[in-house]
Amino acid sequence: MKLLLVHLMVACAAATKDLSDTMLTFPLETNTAHVRLNTPRQNFGAVTVCHRSFTDLKRDHSLFSLATPTFFNGILIFWDATNKEVELHIRNQNAEYRGFDYKPNMWHSICTTWDAGTGLVQLWFDGQPSVRKFVGSGANITGSPIIILGQEQDRHGAAFELKQSFVGMMSDVHMWDYTLSVCEIQKYMDQTSFTPGNTLNWRALDYQTTGNILEENRFSHVQRCP
Ligand SMILES: *[C@@H]1O[C@H](CO)[C@@H](O)[C@H](O)[C@H]1NC(C)=O
Ligand SMILES: [Ca+2]
């Protein structure tokens, strides 16, 4: 019995990977390549999602797409290139955020919070907080979530569009089932020690990649020679 338990624990540990020094490179525009992030959680009364991304895309693209069987935009973080806005979608409702300097060819750190009690969403962009906006209160995000990087889901786990795909690099994706304090968000932004995600944790990530996506050292492309 004890041996079985040890085996089970090893099996669980083997299913996740520490990506601390890793970025995912999405090198090609496709409507297929994506990374699926797994969590057993199915009921969210609040969330925080943080990630870093690097791109030179001039068109719309998805940064984080969580679909449930009933809400394909359960949580969607999306760049609207026409209006130069970040769109935050929660349970198919959305708020738009403008005025952030989404420069190409540099890392941007983005954190998003939402709470079902107040229905408020807020965005932090490279350390700068946004307006707090209402998207809808009183109902949790429920049902089996499919979480995808690299593509935007128009159906639960499917229906990707080439012109909404992500091309570039991504790193440090974390998700919590509560709203992080401003200090914790600041620590994430500053890349100092912070409480890793309890729903998605980049340091112990359960994921699968499909298509041409590379796991590369996140520092290698910016390293300076001595
Ligand atoms: C909504 O989520 C909260 C936790 O975040 C939980 O306490 C509550 O029971 C959930 N409500 C429903 C109706 O599932
Ligand atoms: Ca779409």
Side-chain angles (χ1 to χ4, degrees), residues 70-208:
T70 39
F71 294 104
F72 303 150
N73 296 337
I75 305 172
L76 172 64
I77 304 166
F78 190 82
W79 175 251
D80 171 352
T82 309
N83 299 307
K84 308 248 175 302
E85 291 172 343
V86 180
E87 294 177 359
L88 296 185
H89 299 247
I90 302 284
R91 300 179 85 250
N92 290 5
Q93 303 292 310
N94 78 298
E96 286 140 11
Y97 288 97
R98 58 200 168 82
F100 291 117
D101 196 7
Y102 190 51
K103 282 199 179 84
N105 300 315
M106 61 178 283
W107 286 101
H108 293 290
S109 303
I110 298 176
C111 289
T112 301
T113 64
W114 169 75
D115 176 74
T118 59
L120 297 182
V121 281
Q122 189 169 13
L123 183 76
W124 272 260
F125 187 94
D126 293 342
Q128 191 187 338
S130 76
V131 177
R132 292 163 66 74
K133 294 190 181 181
F134 182 82
V135 287
S137 58
N140 290 3
I141 295 168
T142 58
S144 173
I146 295 183
I147 306 173
I148 282 179
L149 303 178
Q151 301 289 341
E152 197 271 321
Q153 305 174 74
D154 283 343
R155 290 212 317 273
H156 192 221
F160 306 145
E161 283 174 70
L162 187 80
K163 292 299 175 196
Q164 296 181 337
S165 67
F166 179 80
V167 181
M169 288 94 80
M170 277 210 182
S171 193
D172 274 337
V173 182
H174 289 267
M175 179 172 166
W176 298 259
D177 65 355
Y178 56 92
T179 54
L180 281 191
S181 71
V182 175
C183 291
E184 281 291 332
I185 289 177
Q186 213 56 60
K187 283 191 209 164
Y188 175 87
M189 294 280 161
D190 296 344
Q191 312 209 29
T192 53
S193 76
F194 60 92
T195 312
N198 66 350
T199 303
L200 299 174
N201 177 356
W202 197 250
R203 298 171 201 166
L205 200 67
D206 178 353
Y207 67 104
Q208 298 100 32

